[in-house]
Amino acid sequence: SIRFFLNSLSVDAFVPPFFLTISITSPISPIIHRSLFFPVSEQIGSHLSLYLSCNDFCISCISFIPKSENVEFYKLKAYSYNGKNKSDVSEYSVIIDMYNYYFDSESTVENPDGTLSKPFSNFEQSLETLNKSRSVVLRVKGDLLMPPKKVILNANWLIKNDNNAVLVFPANSSLIVKNSSLEINDCRIKTDEASLHNEKQMIPIIKMENGVLTLSNCEIVTSFLKNGTVFDSFNSVVNMNNVIVSARSNSYISLLSAVKSRINIKKSTLACDSETAILFSVNDSIFECQTNTLRVTGKRGRVAEFFNSQANVINNLIQCELQNQNPNNEPFYYNKESKVELSGNDIY
């Protein structure tokens, strides 16, 4: 009998369309009227619904365009047929996952592609691939060192802790979330103190421009040489839930500077320590702050200052440890154009 064999199958499961490349060889000389048949199941549990035939012994290419944002599982069976002769059936399982990527700081694999078996080990090497996607889930293991420059995130990112995930920001490093969203869950975030002496200007570690930032169950520790702002928001939404933040500098520190934004902070512990320390500087924005612990330490400072804004600061524990005790060091300042509710707060 005449038998044909499938020699190789390569899968690029991250950039649509999805390609299967199959090379076929025969132990005998080429024969006329050769065919390959590919029954393919669309997703696990469904019936075989796609049948393809190829009449070329060379390289055959089949493309799939995923129909949803979910992970899809395909089964591919292939055999060759010539007249009355039929080869054995070869079967392959294929997972198409365009949204989940993996990062492992200790990985040493060659040609990493972000899969579980070939995770990224360098943030910059992943950016070109991930920013082409509409939505990205990056599962981080170990220290993810940001490049010492501004990096624009164009996709909608979700960064999750896969095992002891730490996002490290050296001096001059900043993530710019522009017309997109960034969600960080269960991660530690810190600045690299060893490079603070190289700091050239006050750059926030995350800057929002027409975007959405969501931080959940994160621990954030930042240090700046002279002046610093941790988060900067313009025309954006910032959500913090169950977050611990400690920010310090020698001269001036602000945890969040917001303009034309909507801020929502709950069940978090936030602290600033500097000669002049201000947790929140809010302009022309809507600000919600409930059930948090807020602490300011330094010569002078405030918990928050509001300009032309609407704010509700309710049921918080507030600590102000300021050396310069005078009327200008009230925990909150707001101009007459602002509408601010302060209720149920314990201040000491």
Side-chain angles (χ1 to χ4, degrees), residues 79-202:
Y79 64 90
S80 60
Y81 181 78
N82 179 39
K84 296 181 180 180
N85 301 306
K86 178 181 175 181
S87 74
D88 292 340
V89 176
S90 295
E91 180 178 312
Y92 299 92
S93 297
V94 179
I95 295 175
I96 303 178
D97 185 357
M98 298 170 55
Y99 302 94
N100 285 280
Y101 294 82
Y102 295 84
F103 178 97
D104 185 346
S105 59
E106 296 184 357
S107 175
T108 57
V109 299
E110 296 183 0
N111 303 316
D113 55 14
T115 58
L116 181 59
S117 59
K118 291 187 175 182
F120 295 119
S121 59
N122 180 287
F123 186 67
E124 284 194 271
Q125 72 187 186
S126 69
L127 279 173
E128 183 177 356
T129 298
L130 303 192
N131 261 340
K132 290 179 181 178
S133 303
R134 186 167 60 105
S135 298
V136 167
V137 179
L138 183 62
R139 301 175 184 274
V140 177
K141 179 180 180 181
D143 288 4
L144 191 159
L145 180 62
M146 299 296 174
K149 62 182 181 181
K150 296 179 181 179
V151 174
I152 297 177
L153 302 183
N154 296 319
N156 295 317
W157 285 64
L158 168 57
I159 299 178
K160 302 181 71 173
N161 178 17
D162 208 34
N163 186 6
N164 197 29
V166 184
L167 312 186
V168 183
F169 289 79
N172 305 312
S173 176
S174 182
L175 293 181
I176 312 297
V177 183
K178 199 168 186 177
N179 301 313
S180 59
S181 65
L182 171 62
E183 183 176 352
I184 304 176
N185 292 343
D186 305 306
C187 294
R188 287 185 291 154
I189 302 172
K190 69 176 185 178
T191 53
D192 182 7
E193 294 194 37
S195 61
L196 284 181
H197 63 280
N198 294 323
E199 187 180 78
K200 297 179 181 179
Q201 52 185 315
M202 189 168 66

Side-chain angles (χ1 to χ4, degrees), residues 180 182 208-215 231-241 256-266 280-290 306-312:
S180 59
L182 171 62
M208 309 298 300
E209 297 180 8
N210 306 305
V212 178
L213 172 65
T214 301
L215 301 171
F231 305 109
D232 186 281
S233 175
F234 175 78
N235 198 33
S236 297
V237 176
V238 177
N239 300 307
M240 296 186 189
N241 184 34
L256 171 65
S257 175
V259 178
K260 296 183 178 179
S261 296
R262 188 179 187 96
I263 313 301
N264 191 349
I265 303 173
K266 292 182 178 181
F280 310 108
S281 180
V282 182
N283 196 326
D284 197 17
S285 299
I286 298 174
F287 183 87
E288 300 283 340
C289 182
Q290 298 186 32
F306 302 107
F307 303 93
N308 308 323
S309 296
Q310 178 180 329
N312 293 312

